[in-house]
Amino acid sequence: MNSVKKIKEWLNTFTPFNEQEQVDCQRIRQFLEEEANLLLRDNVKMHFTASAWVLNPSKNKVLMLYHNIYQSWSWSGGHADGEGDLLSVAMKEVKEESGLVSLKPLSDSPISIEILGVQPHYKKQKYVSAHLHLNYTFLLHNTKEEKLKICPEENSKVGWLSPDEAVRSSTEAWMKPIYKKLNQKMRTDEPKKPANLHFSSIEKANQKNKKN
């Protein structure tokens, strides 16, 4: 799928969780009208990316990778590179970056949308200017125990962290609110079980979208 049709459909059915998502969704709608080649890195100002918040088989920990460029623990994700099905992009990136293959989407729609600023950096000895990532995040479940593997080109460590540890481990100040938001969306209301996650609202929204 090399068009933004699905991206627009997801955007139109997405319900913002907070002010950040409300503002960023409005800006993405504007960019879709004004900008060309948003699926490709050829647009050096901004382009679409996909990320994954991956849960372990017990659904009490999340997958985090120690990113080579940013020198921080972070989620898995990558560029669309021409692919409009960002869910498939997110799943592909998880497989490449962690070695996990038994992955199941807990929703066919993104659970989070954000615009992320990328600082200037070098990748493969080539300078990359500051730009924006128009990011869709998907909730995935690793359905069985599998050995984690690093991807030397992208990361040096891969591990399962508790939701709170995932936030604390990040040294990217601008990412901490995003990880906190994801945890807030999934946390149970039961105070005695803070590590447990629930998916009822996400699954209900997913079923509603399928009916529509």
Side-chain angles (χ1 to χ4, degrees):
M1 183 188 298
N2 58 2
S3 76
V4 295
K5 180 179 178 181
K6 187 63 178 178
I7 289 174
K8 289 181 177 180
E9 290 177 358
W10 278 324
L11 190 61
N12 290 335
T13 58
F14 184 79
T15 301
F17 175 76
N18 57 16
E19 184 179 8
Q20 170 264 307
E21 288 188 340
Q22 183 178 10
V23 172
D24 286 355
C25 285
Q26 290 175 347
R27 291 191 68 193
I28 290 174
R29 287 190 180 92
Q30 179 182 351
F31 294 150
L32 283 166
E33 294 295 325
E34 298 176 351
E35 294 287 334
N37 299 325
L38 287 175
L39 290 177
L40 299 171
R41 285 183 248 192
D42 293 348
N43 186 325
V44 296
K45 294 185 296 182
M46 65 189 72
H47 38 256
F48 277 103
T49 58
S51 298
W53 203 234
V54 187
L55 305 177
N56 68 340
S58 299
K59 295 183 178 179
N60 61 358
K61 293 185 177 181
V62 297
L63 179 71
M64 294 292 279
L65 323 167
Y66 195 83
H67 202 283
N68 291 340
I69 293 177
Y70 303 117
Q71 291 293 293
S72 174
W73 286 95
S74 67
W75 57 13
S76 178
H79 293 86
D81 286 336
E83 175 57 66
D85 183 355
L86 295 183
L87 174 56
S88 69
V89 173
M91 295 184 69
K92 176 179 71 69
E93 292 295 329
V94 173
K95 293 175 182 178
E96 292 178 354
E97 295 180 344
S98 71
L100 298 177
V101 295
S102 301
L103 298 170
K104 175 186 177 183
L106 290 175
S107 173
D108 294 331
S109 301
I111 63 162
S112 177
I113 294 178
E114 47 274 323
I115 297 176
L116 304 173
V118 180
Q119 299 298 313
H121 61 274
Y122 283 88
K123 186 166 186 178
K124 297 181 179 179
Q125 299 182 333
K126 183 178 180 180
Y127 181 75
V128 179
S129 299
H131 59 278
L132 298 177
H133 281 174
L134 314 180
N135 191 71
Y136 282 32
T137 304
F138 296 86
L139 181 64
L140 306 181
H141 181 211
N142 177 220
T143 57
K144 67 178 183 180
E145 298 287 344
E146 294 177 312
K147 184 178 180 180
L148 294 171
K149 300 177 183 178
I150 67 169
C151 177
E153 290 187 0
E154 299 291 340
N155 58 69
S156 58
K157 300 176 187 177
V158 184
W160 294 110
L161 304 182
S162 74
D164 289 338
E165 288 173 335
V167 176
R168 289 195 299 269
S169 68
S170 174
T171 57
E172 300 173 276
W174 55 93
M175 290 304 300
K176 286 180 179 288
I178 302 299
Y179 299 150
K180 287 181 180 179
K181 175 186 68 174
L182 291 170
N183 290 342
Q184 290 171 356
K185 287 188 175 189
M186 297 185 297
R187 279 199 183 282
T188 179
D189 294 329
E190 300 177 38
K192 294 182 180 180
K193 299 179 180 180
N196 289 348
L197 305 176
H198 80 90
F199 315 98
S200 57
S201 61
I202 296 172
E203 290 171 344
K204 287 178 181 178
N206 187 38
Q207 292 172 359
K208 181 179 179 181
N209 289 338
K210 284 183 177 179
K211 289 180 180 178
N212 293 338

